[in-house]
Amino acid sequence: MAERKSAMGNDPLAWLAEEYGGVVEKELAVEKNKTKSAKSTPTPAKAPSAKTDTDYVEESFSALADKGQQIVADFYAHLFKHYPELAPLFDDISKAGQQKKLLAALTLLVKSLRDPDILQAYLKGLGARHQSYGVDPHDYGKVANSLLVVLEQHAGELWTFDVKTAWEKTLNTVAQIMQNAYESVDEQEMAGTAVNLSLIHISEPTRPRLIS
């Protein structure tokens, strides 16, 4: 069946002319002439600005958005295959739930790259929790390597030198911020001592009763 056309045809502003008559037609003609005049006047071309690492990370992550679930699944498969010593950290944790959390964390990370205050606060909290889970500072390099390998596999030709470098720098910065939130052993012992002292109830010594 042939597509029916309304009275306005292909001009989305035709109804104005029908409703208000020739006055609007003249005004529309003037606006169209202005547009033609503006188009005919050449504007100086602007030199394209160089992309930043944030640009590369955002663009590549957006291009891989449809593959997000497969990427996190492949990430854990690679991580446990090449670094089996990390597997115990995930004991008694839902596989599907952990993958979902990782994808959400990556999404939040990329979306927060242009808001350093939010990013710092988020990563510091994440780092403190990872220390409590028993994640060693040396483990961050293993995680980054697995993620980079998997991203490259899924990105294909999109994985250029600039994209790879941008992700490497970003993950390195993430690791540094998270590890900065780690407390030293001395700090942990001092905090533990302070808590223990606060639990000690110091009462006023009782006076001996005189027996009359």
Side-chain angles (χ1 to χ4, degrees):
M1 179 182 295
E3 182 180 357
R4 295 181 59 186
K5 291 185 179 181
S6 63
M8 66 181 177
N10 294 323
D11 186 353
L13 297 180
W15 65 273
L16 287 172
E18 291 180 354
E19 185 172 349
Y20 294 105
V23 174
V24 174
E25 283 186 336
K26 291 180 181 179
E27 292 179 354
L28 288 173
V30 171
E31 292 300 321
K32 288 181 180 180
N33 288 333
K34 287 182 179 179
T35 302
K36 290 181 180 179
S37 177
K39 290 181 178 179
S40 62
T41 304
T43 55
K46 294 182 179 179
S49 56
K51 288 185 178 181
T52 64
D53 290 334
T54 298
D55 291 329
Y56 284 116
V57 171
E58 289 176 339
E59 291 175 3
S60 58
F61 189 77
S62 177
L64 294 171
D66 293 339
K67 301 180 180 180
Q69 294 182 352
Q70 188 59 51
I71 287 174
V72 293
D74 291 347
F75 160 77
Y76 282 112
H78 185 281
L79 185 71
F80 296 150
K81 178 181 179 180
H82 295 274
Y83 308 106
E85 67 274 13
L86 298 183
L89 293 173
F90 299 88
D91 287 345
D92 302 324
I93 297 179
S94 166
K95 180 179 179 181
Q98 186 59 33
Q99 292 178 4
K100 185 177 180 180
K101 288 180 180 179
L102 175 60
L103 184 56
L106 287 173
T107 301
L108 180 58
L109 166 65
V110 175
K111 288 186 176 180
S112 302
L113 290 176
R114 298 185 188 275
D115 196 333
D117 291 336
I118 291 179
L119 187 61
Q120 287 260 355
Y122 169 69
L123 292 177
K124 286 181 179 179
L126 196 61
R129 290 197 299 275
H130 275 65
Q131 184 183 24
S132 68
Y133 300 152
V135 178
D136 188 85
H138 294 94
D139 296 335
Y140 285 87
K142 303 171 184 178
V143 171
N145 182 61
S146 288
L147 184 57
L148 289 170
V149 169
V150 173
L151 286 174
E152 180 178 6
Q153 291 174 348
H154 285 276
E157 294 181 354
L158 294 177
W159 196 253
T160 63
F161 174 81
D162 290 327
V163 172
K164 177 184 178 181
T165 302
W167 273 99
E168 288 175 342
K169 290 180 180 178
T170 299
L171 294 179
N172 183 55
T173 299
V174 168
Q176 288 179 346
I177 295 174
M178 290 180 65
Q179 291 177 55
N180 286 341
Y182 276 38
E183 292 183 347
S184 67
V185 175
D186 291 340
E187 290 174 330
Q188 292 183 44
E189 291 179 349
M190 290 176 63
T193 301
V195 171
N196 291 333
L197 288 176
S198 68
L199 297 177
I200 298 176
H201 179 67
I202 302 177
S203 58
E204 181 180 353
T206 57
R207 296 179 180 179
R209 295 178 60 185
L210 297 177
I211 299 175
S212 57

